């Protein structure tokens, strides 16, 4: 295991939290226009990625290879836009913690399904009892986070 990759994954998770707050604030400052906030965020992100892509040798080979790609592989941009819009919309409405634990629950359930069956061309990684137990524990934490206060009142 490469600890640097785990640290990078943790930082990416932290960035999602910060991004949701920043985009939510931008949307609020734009009279609640979450679509405009997501668009602005994507445009800035596109510029940053363009600088990195050009600095790594350009895009001519990549552009030439685009027509040969299956159409479903372009869904990542749509999914990313939906994610970004959702976080900007939901964070101020349901709170950052509630939003993120639900995102984590969705990621875990989807990820274990993709791993188990090798969906979308990914490598199949059978679900073990230990991994399943870990996911159940995390989903229990999600439920506790969302409904724990109500349970304590009983």
């Amino acid at each position: 295991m490469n600890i640097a990759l785990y640290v990078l994954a943790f930082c990416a998770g932290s960035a999602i939290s910060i991004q949701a707050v920043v985009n939510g604030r931008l949307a609020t400052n734009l009279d609640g226009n979450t679509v405009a906030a997501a668009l602005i965020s994507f445009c800035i992100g596109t510029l940053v990625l363009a600088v990195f892509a050009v600095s790594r040798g350009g895009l001519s080979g990549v552009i030439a290879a685009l027509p040969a790609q299956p159409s479903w592989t372009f869904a990542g941009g749509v999914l990313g836009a939906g994610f970004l819009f959702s976080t900007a919309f939901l964070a101020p409405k349901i709170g950052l913690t509630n939003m993120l634990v639900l995102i984590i629950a969705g990621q875990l359930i989807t990820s274990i399904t993709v791993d188990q069956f090798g969906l979308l061309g990914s490598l199949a990684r059978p679900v073990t009892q230990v991994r399943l137990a870990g996911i159940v524990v995390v989903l229990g934490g999600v439920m506790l986070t969302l409904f724990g206060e109500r349970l304590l009142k009983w």
Side-chain angles (χ1 to χ4, degrees):
M1 287 189 225
N2 187 337
I3 193 71
L5 296 177
Y6 284 8
V7 170
L8 180 60
F10 179 84
C11 291
S14 296
I16 289 171
S17 297
I18 295 167
Q19 179 191 37
V21 173
V22 169
N23 287 333
R25 174 57 58 193
L26 179 60
T28 299
N29 292 347
L30 299 174
D31 295 325
N33 193 336
T34 52
V35 174
L39 175 64
I40 291 165
S41 183
F42 254 84
C43 287
I44 292 168
T46 299
L47 290 174
V48 169
L49 290 173
V51 168
F52 280 115
V54 169
S55 71
R56 293 191 68 201
L59 295 172
S60 60
V62 171
I63 292 170
L66 285 177
Q69 304 309 308
S71 59
W72 66 268
T73 62
F74 297 109
V78 175
L79 294 169
F83 175 77
L84 188 62
F85 168 78
S86 296
T87 60
F89 178 76
L90 292 171
K93 295 192 179 337
I94 66 172
L96 188 60
T97 301
N98 288 343
M99 181 197 72
L100 285 175
V101 296
L102 289 165
I103 287 171
I104 291 166
Q107 288 174 327
L108 284 173
I109 291 167
T110 303
S111 297
I112 200 167
T113 304
V114 169
D115 276 353
Q116 174 66 29
F117 300 106
L119 301 177
L120 302 172
S122 69
L123 181 64
R125 292 179 179 88
V127 177
T128 64
Q129 289 180 348
V130 172
R131 290 182 114 198
L132 190 57
I135 288 174
V136 168
V137 168
V138 173
L139 291 177
V142 168
M143 298 305 284
L144 188 60
T145 301
L146 293 173
F147 306 113
E149 298 295 328
R150 291 183 196 143
L151 294 174
L152 289 176
K153 291 181 183 178
W154 281 13

